[in-house]
Amino acid sequence: MRTSGHDQIDAYSPLREGAVVDVGGDSDRVTADVVVVGSGMGGSTLAWALRDRDVDVLVVERGRFLPREVENSQAAEMFLMGRYKTAEPWFDGSNGEPFQPGVYYWVGGNTKFYGGSLPRFRVTDFEETQHYDGISPKWPFSYADLEPFYAEAERLYQVHGIDGEDPTEPPRSSPYPLPPLPHEPTIERFASSLRQQGLHPFHTPNGMNLTTQEHRRQSTASDGTPSQTDHKSEAENRALRPALESERVRLLTEAKVTRLLTDAKGTRIVAAEAEFRGRTIRITANQFVVSAGAVNTAALLLRSADEWNPDGLGNSSGLLGRNYMVHNSTFFMGVNPFHTNTTAWQKTLGINDWYVAGPNNEYPLGNLQMLGKLQAAHVKGARPWAPLWALKAVVDRSLDIYLTTEDLPTRNNRVRIDGDRIIVDWTPNNTAPHSELVRRVSTAVRKAGYPIILTERMGIATNSHMCGTAVAGTDPAASVLDPHCRSHDVDNLWVVDGSFFPSSAALNPALTIAANALRVAPHIASAAV
């Protein structure tokens, strides 16, 4: 398959024969050296990193390949018809009510639906930081330790960007692989106003290969929907499919791993059980890597409790499932009734002026990034009483922004299980800085010519940035994983999704998950031989 920065294809190239495992006939066993549960950003990047090493890798995905079809780019199909939603309901621990989580079970995971935002975390995100509501803890490795892998991940995911515009930008060993996407006229006027107000808007790092205005129009809805083209860098097209070109990497789809089984001492996994097309199969390996997302990873390890691990696999610290974080976030619209926003791809601008503490804010406030251009279908769920024609009149005249503030890890924010049910206990914290961020952005947007401000605070179902449920650290009593994301308790168990994050930062986590998978890949490969 072609993966250069500006190649565009309408359909994926065929996979290598044998790349997708067929567990047919009477067979109920599959074996490999390394089993990777989940094909999202962490799992697919890890498979890519292991493709040339002397280990046999099996990626196990509960979903199927998402079809490429005209409906991919139709927001109404996604947000009104629920065309691609696959997740079962989870339950709010505060009231027992079910909710539909923002997760998707397809090959490539949630990256099939993300907006391609791929920023690095800042240096301070890896350090102990005082916030309004408490301490954001130090990570067991530094930004400098991860920096070479950030650079490699940016090359793999073809990130567009430019250094020097954002005062919080961390040190880099190499430039962005591709130039930044230019702002379209409405966004450029917004950026000019922000600069006149003394702020520092920058071209946000992203994995959208949009080299023409037609490409932008094709991708208008791609922040939240799949891409019908190859414009968007996501886990399937940039990492998994290239990995599957290697004879060493295979993929098993439609296989939901339900339990990990340990040996007679409970310190080593011997097999994974999975539901596969109505029957149970057994997957054996030397090393097991879980990358199912912070909630499903925790749920799997909790369901794998046995007599040696009665509170869940790898849970001697009692922290498995705890410290669940999803960001404080707000969808924000500035509306000018007299100006139509014709921007095709809007997600090109960010602001981090209040990201770290400074003279103008005692505590960190968070990040501003543009959303892909909203359509009426995007906002119907938030305003179900409003007719679509009225919503269209609003979104045709709006600037669309996403605001995030760091939430802090706490034991009481957690993932639990009750049989097959997943229960999420989540009470927002560190909310005062988020309210201040919304206030400051409101002022800036009004000064830029958008007098009407509409906001929607995101709740428990907005969890695309989930992390923290299997935190990494040096002390086995205060963490689930070691600094290389290996279980303190089970020597062949690893976790490479956002579960390992000790803190959430206030930026999109995808690039950090990918960089970390590249960082720990050599350790997994060494353990597997």
Side-chain angles (χ1 to χ4, degrees), residues 8-9 38 45 71 79 87 91 133 172 196 229 248 267 271 277 283 317 330 345 358 370 373 464 469 529:
Q8 312 296 341
I9 60 177
T45 305
E71 291 84 356
F79 293 96
F91 293 84
D133 252 1
R172 305 178 58 88
Q196 291 171 14
T229 71
R248 289 292 198 179
T267 58
R277 299 178 184 174
I283 305 168
S317 65
T330 290
W345 181 250
M370 304 303 295
K373 189 68 199 78
S464 56
T469 56
V529 296

Side-chain angles (χ1 to χ4, degrees), residues 266-283:
T267 58
R268 189 172 180 83
I269 302 169
V270 295
E273 286 186 348
E275 296 174 355
F276 176 74
R277 299 178 184 174
R279 57 195 174 100
T280 299
I281 63 172
R282 188 179 177 97
I283 305 168

Side-chain angles (χ1 to χ4, degrees), residues 88-333:
E88 68 280 354
W90 296 346
F91 293 84
D92 185 338
S94 68
N95 55 26
E97 293 296 319
F99 67 92
Q100 189 67 42
V103 295
Y104 307 93
Y105 304 142
W106 298 95
V107 173
N110 280 359
T111 68
K112 302 297 292 186
F113 302 87
Y114 81 151
S117 183
L118 293 169
R120 299 182 179 199
F121 282 5
R122 277 32 195 163
V123 171
T124 55
D125 289 327
F126 296 85
E127 300 170 348
E128 182 176 295
T129 303
Q130 180 68 53
H131 285 260
Y132 178 86
D133 252 1
I135 296 292
S136 180
K138 182 179 180 180
W139 289 39
F141 53 88
S142 68
Y143 170 82
D145 295 329
L146 195 60
E147 196 284 330
F149 304 101
Y150 268 135
E152 185 178 1
E154 287 173 341
R155 292 189 291 270
L156 175 61
Y157 287 98
Q158 304 172 14
V159 178
H160 294 252
I162 185 170
D163 193 17
E165 293 182 324
D166 176 9
T168 71
E169 181 86 13
R172 305 178 58 88
S173 59
S174 58
Y176 283 97
L178 293 166
L181 296 185
H183 302 317
E184 293 178 50
T186 295
I187 306 307
E188 183 56 52
R189 286 192 294 271
F190 180 46
S192 178
S193 174
L194 294 173
R195 286 191 289 268
Q196 291 171 14
Q197 295 176 47
L199 299 173
H200 300 82
F202 60 92
H203 290 78
T204 186
N206 67 85
M208 299 296 295
N209 290 315
L210 307 176
T211 58
T212 69
Q213 194 62 22
E214 178 59 25
H215 290 166
R216 288 178 177 247
R217 285 191 289 268
Q218 291 172 350
S219 298
T220 293
S222 288
D223 188 4
T225 69
S227 176
Q228 189 183 351
T229 71
D230 205 34
H231 301 325
K232 179 160 63 177
S233 292
E234 29 95 337
E236 180 190 352
N237 65 353
R238 298 295 182 253
L240 184 58
R241 283 180 174 266
L244 290 171
E245 293 176 2
S246 167
E247 298 279 346
R248 289 292 198 179
V249 181
R250 295 171 295 154
L251 172 66
L252 174 61
T253 63
E254 301 179 71
K256 177 184 177 182
V257 175
T258 56
R259 188 175 179 85
L260 302 175
L261 308 175
T262 62
D263 61 10
K265 295 181 181 179
T267 58
R268 189 172 180 83
I269 302 169
V270 295
E273 286 186 348
E275 296 174 355
F276 176 74
R277 299 178 184 174
R279 57 195 174 100
T280 299
I281 63 172
R282 188 179 177 97
I283 305 168
T284 58
N286 189 350
Q287 303 295 313
F288 290 81
V289 184
V290 184
S291 189
V295 170
N296 281 310
T297 287
L300 172 60
L301 298 181
L302 289 168
R303 286 183 180 132
S304 300
D306 54 33
E307 61 181 300
W308 304 278
N309 303 277
D311 298 319
L313 207 57
N315 194 23
S316 63
S317 65
L319 292 175
L320 179 64
R322 297 186 182 272
N323 299 308
Y324 174 70
M325 295 169 282
V326 288
H327 285 154
N328 296 303
S329 57
T330 290
F331 277 79
F332 181 109
M333 298 169 65

Side-chain angles (χ1 to χ4, degrees), residues 62 190 504:
R62 68 190 292 178
F190 180 46
S504 67

Side-chain angles (χ1 to χ4, degrees), residues 486-499:
R486 186 179 197 164
S487 169
H488 288 299
D489 304 340
V490 182
D491 64 11
N492 64 340
L493 169 63
W494 311 72
V495 175
V496 298
D497 56 29
S499 302

